């Protein structure tokens, strides 16, 4: 679907969507429409008891006095509490509504909203992003779809009187949308198509966007001593990979920000085999790597003024005769030894070497890792928030603020030396599981031993990387969660 920023001239075809805030008069475009309808819009609003509350939608078919076939008014709630994510959700909801009505072309009025913290022009840009995100589809493997099963909407124009500002903001936001699309595609791909080597190949293709991309194979990782990462993939016929993506948009002397992603392209659990029910979802166990890859594309596409590094560890966890066993002891790149007590606690083993490699080679300002790491985080937080763990309060607060601004929210959980006793091993420096209690915390505590004092945060996205249903701006199973969060973190704090 094509999304554009357009003038505030009333459209002559398709559907028109007006925005409304609670407790205020009609916004400028709605006023113009009401005049053209000889007060008909005001009468319809009154008759329907439409108050402009969040999620309210007024639908008027064949409105008199204007040329469009359908007129909608969507509520945004109170102006003072409106956030960009609220605009995006409203636009996404309306894209779904327009497709449901089999409408081919729509226009959304992106009026300035008095009393809101969102500037004129930015309103239109965020409405455009919501429409873009809502239009995502992963239909490449469907061969029998009928025309009426496909989206009808082909074009959305977001109208604004502040076109210059809106177009500038939209250029950046549409780049973020590209990153979200890529992350969703990666998570949604079937595991016979997306495996470590093919994932790495997709990353290499991003050199056309300005990224520098390196791929390390198993022999290179063996020389570096990455026994923790390599042990996970030794039961697979697919070769494990470590991909390094770099965006050099800052000054030469500026330390990079670093993002590290877990990329288990399929997770059977290994010898500690998972139950069969739901195992197909384990194609998405590379959601952290997908988010890092999408973020790196977003930064490059909008030419972010920052130096950034994305490192992803790509493995397939399979249970063949050569697979890692419970009871094995491996040596990580850091030199620390790990007793394997459960081969299904494999993501932390991948991240241990990826984190150590990142801090050792790049000396970054900070590291943030993303991983679909524990089922325990789903029990704690469901699908609404990701888990945040950090050894640095300033970084944690910056991430939480970026989450609120982007709509990708987190909840911070505790860490501390007391949890180390739960991962203490009788035979090695530590073991890879901590037992029944505090599962997400002990996983984070394990990772903290591989950061070497660099400011660090761990995001457990097992509840947010994919979803059981759908949301207005996230209609597919794979959500692309993390791209908007990390891009907002960079833009708010590290490009000034």
């Amino acid at each position: 679907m094509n999304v554009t920023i357009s003038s505030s001239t009333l459209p002559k075809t398709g559907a028109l969507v007006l925005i409304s805030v609670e407790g205020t008069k009609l916004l400028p475009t709605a006023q113009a429409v009401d005049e053209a309808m000889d007060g008909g819009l005001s009468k319809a609003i009154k008759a329907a008891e439409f108050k402009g509350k969040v999620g309210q939608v007024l639908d008027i078919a064949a409105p008199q006095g204007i040329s469009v076939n359908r007129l909608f008014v969507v509520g945004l709630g109170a102006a003072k509490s409106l956030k960009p994510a609220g605009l995006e959700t409203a636009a996404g909801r309306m894209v779904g509504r327009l497709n449901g009505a089999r409408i081919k072309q729509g226009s959304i009025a992106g009026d300035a909203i008095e009393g809101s913290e969102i500037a004129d022009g930015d309103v239109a840009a965020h409405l455009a992003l919501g429409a873009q995100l809502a239009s995502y589809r992963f239909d490449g493997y469907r061969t029998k779809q009928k025309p009426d099963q496909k989206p009808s909407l082909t074009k959305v124009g977001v109208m604004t009187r502040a076109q210059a500002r809106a177009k500038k903001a939209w250029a950046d936001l549409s780049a973020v949308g590209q990153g979200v699309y890529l992350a969703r595609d990666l998570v949604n791909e079937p595991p016979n198509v997306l495996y470590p080597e093919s994932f790495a190949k997709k990353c290499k293709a991003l050199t056309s966007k300005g990224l520098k991309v390196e791929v390390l194979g198993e022999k290179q990782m063996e020389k570096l001593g990455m026994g923790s990462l390599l042990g996970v993939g030794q039961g697979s016929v697919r070769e494990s990979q470590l991909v390094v993506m770099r965006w050099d948009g800052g000054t030469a002397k500026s330390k990079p920000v670093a993002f590290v992603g877990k990329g288990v392209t399929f997770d059977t659990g290994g010898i500690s085999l998972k139950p069969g029910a739901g195992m197909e979802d384990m194609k998405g166990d590379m959601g952290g790597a997908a988010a890092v890859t999408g973020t790196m594309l977003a930064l490059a596409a909008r030419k972010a003024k920052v130096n950034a590094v994305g490192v992803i560890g790509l493995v397939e966890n399979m249970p063949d005769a050569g697979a890692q066993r419970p009871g094995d002891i491996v040596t990580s790149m850091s030199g620390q030894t790990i007793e394997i007590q459960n081969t299904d606690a494999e993501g932390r083993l991948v991240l241990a070497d990826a984190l150590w490699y990142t801090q050792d080679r790049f000396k970054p300002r900070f590291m943030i890792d993303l991983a679909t790491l524990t089922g325990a985080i789903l029990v704690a937080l469901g699908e609404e928030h990701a888990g945040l763990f950090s050894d640095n309060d300033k970084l944690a607060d910056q991430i939480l603020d970026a989450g609120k601004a982007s709509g990708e929210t987190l909840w911070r959980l505790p860490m501390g030396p007391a949890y180390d006793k739960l991962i203490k091993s009788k035979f090695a420096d530590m073991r890879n599981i901590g037992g029944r209690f505090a599962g997400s915390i002990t996983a984070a505590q394990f990772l903290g031993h591989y950061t070497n004092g660099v400011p660090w945060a761990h995001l457990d996205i097992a509840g947010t990387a994919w979803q059981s249903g759908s949301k207005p701006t996230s209609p597919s199973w794979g959500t692309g969660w993390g791209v908007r969060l990390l891009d907002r973190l960079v833009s708010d704090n590290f490009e000034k």
Side-chain angles (χ1 to χ4, degrees):
M1 187 181 77
N2 185 29
V3 181
T4 59
I5 300 295
S6 64
S7 71
S8 55
T9 304
L10 293 180
K12 298 184 181 301
T13 59
L16 173 61
V17 178
L18 304 174
I19 57 175
S20 175
V21 289
E22 194 173 357
T24 63
K25 63 182 180 181
L26 297 177
L27 296 178
T29 304
Q31 290 178 20
V33 169
D34 194 39
E35 290 176 9
M37 294 177 65
D38 196 21
L41 177 59
S42 294
K43 293 176 183 177
I45 288 173
K46 184 177 180 180
E49 296 186 349
F50 179 88
K51 304 296 184 182
K53 294 180 179 180
V54 174
Q56 270 193 309
V57 178
L58 175 63
D59 181 355
I60 303 173
Q64 297 297 310
I66 56 176
S67 301
V68 296
N69 300 320
R70 201 80 166 260
L71 177 64
F72 296 91
V73 187
V74 57
L76 301 176
K80 64 180 181 180
S81 59
L82 182 63
K83 304 293 183 184
L87 289 167
E88 293 159 14
T89 297
R93 185 176 289 115
M94 292 315 302
V95 165
R97 192 80 174 243
L98 297 180
N99 275 317
R102 305 308 299 165
I103 291 167
K104 294 182 179 180
Q105 181 174 330
S107 299
I108 304 175
D111 293 304
I113 301 173
E114 187 176 346
S116 167
E117 65 181 26
I118 306 171
D120 193 7
D122 291 351
V123 170
H126 283 285
L127 288 169
L129 178 60
Q132 180 191 33
L133 295 176
S135 68
Y136 175 84
R137 295 292 183 277
F138 190 77
D139 291 337
Y141 296 98
R142 299 176 184 268
T143 63
K144 297 183 179 180
Q145 275 192 308
K146 297 177 181 178
D148 62 358
Q149 294 175 314
K150 298 178 181 180
S152 61
L153 198 61
T154 60
K155 182 179 179 181
V156 168
V158 182
M159 305 155 52
T160 177
R161 294 176 181 176
Q163 283 191 72
R165 183 183 179 104
K167 286 181 177 180
K168 183 178 179 181
W170 172 230
D172 286 346
L173 290 177
S174 64
V176 177
Q178 291 177 45
V180 175
Y181 266 47
L182 174 59
R184 288 176 179 175
D185 281 346
L186 290 168
V187 172
N188 286 327
E189 283 285 1
N192 60 319
V193 173
L194 192 78
Y195 43 88
E197 300 101 320
S198 62
F199 195 144
K201 188 175 180 180
K202 288 180 181 290
C203 294
K204 286 289 285 185
L206 297 178
T207 56
S208 65
K209 304 296 184 180
L211 292 176
K212 297 175 183 177
V213 183
E214 304 170 56
V215 179
L216 280 64
E218 290 185 351
K219 289 183 179 180
Q220 292 163 290
M221 286 188 279
E222 286 173 6
K223 289 181 179 179
L224 290 167
M226 293 187 177
S228 183
L229 184 154
L230 290 171
V232 177
Q234 70 186 43
S236 173
V237 297
R238 306 291 193 185
E239 180 174 330
S240 299
Q241 311 270 275
L242 188 81
V243 179
V244 180
M245 295 167 279
R246 296 173 59 187
W247 169 249
D248 298 327
T251 61
K253 294 182 179 180
S254 178
K255 286 185 177 183
V257 299
F259 306 115
V260 181
K262 170 190 171 183
V264 181
T265 59
F266 192 77
D267 182 20
T268 65
I271 296 297
S272 306
L273 193 68
K274 292 178 181 291
M279 193 189 286
E280 67 276 6
D281 287 349
M282 289 300 99
K283 71 175 187 175
D285 207 18
M286 33 56 68
V292 169
T293 306
T295 298
M296 294 304 294
L297 171 58
L299 295 177
R302 69 174 182 81
K303 295 181 169 38
K305 294 179 177 63
V306 69
N307 295 332
V309 175
V311 177
I312 57 175
L314 303 175
V315 301
E316 189 178 55
N317 188 18
M318 300 292 282
D320 84 347
Q324 185 165 257
R325 296 152 291 235
D328 284 0
I329 293 178
V330 298
T331 302
S332 67
M333 184 182 174
S334 71
Q336 298 172 93
T337 57
I338 306 164
E339 179 191 358
I340 309 302
Q341 290 199 343
N342 188 320
T343 65
D344 194 24
E346 84 299 329
R348 67 202 69 181
L349 301 174
V350 173
L351 288 172
D353 279 340
L355 283 165
W356 191 267
Y357 174 86
T358 301
Q359 64 80 27
D360 183 59
R361 177 177 174 186
F362 296 107
K363 308 295 188 294
R365 299 189 205 186
F366 63 78
M367 296 188 295
I368 298 174
D369 77 73
L370 297 91
T372 50
L373 205 64
T374 67
I377 206 68
L378 264 165
V379 175
L381 301 177
E383 296 182 344
E384 300 306 314
H385 295 75
L388 165 64
F389 304 82
S390 183
D391 60 5
N392 186 283
D393 290 342
K394 181 179 179 181
L395 177 60
D397 288 343
Q398 289 171 331
I399 294 170
L400 289 169
D401 288 344
K404 291 176 183 176
S406 66
E408 296 190 327
T409 54
L410 309 99
W411 192 264
R412 190 177 182 184
L413 286 90
M415 296 182 68
Y419 292 103
D420 278 336
K421 63 184 180 182
L422 298 177
I423 56 173
K424 186 177 180 180
S425 168
K426 295 179 181 179
F427 307 106
D429 293 328
M430 67 194 77
R431 58 181 183 169
N432 75 322
I433 56 171
R436 179 182 177 188
F437 299 122
S440 298
I441 297 173
T442 55
Q445 198 71 26
F446 178 95
L447 295 176
H449 288 275
Y450 299 90
T451 62
N452 203 22
V454 173
W456 158 78
H458 159 60
L459 311 185
D460 193 334
I461 63 171
T464 56
W466 61 80
Q467 59 192 0
S468 55
S470 65
K471 296 178 181 178
T473 58
S474 185
S476 82
W477 181 73
T479 62
W481 196 100
V483 176
R484 286 189 289 165
L485 167 74
L486 296 181
D487 180 83
R488 187 63 185 253
L489 173 72
V490 170
S491 64
D492 282 354
N493 300 286
F494 300 103
E495 290 188 78
K496 297 176 182 178

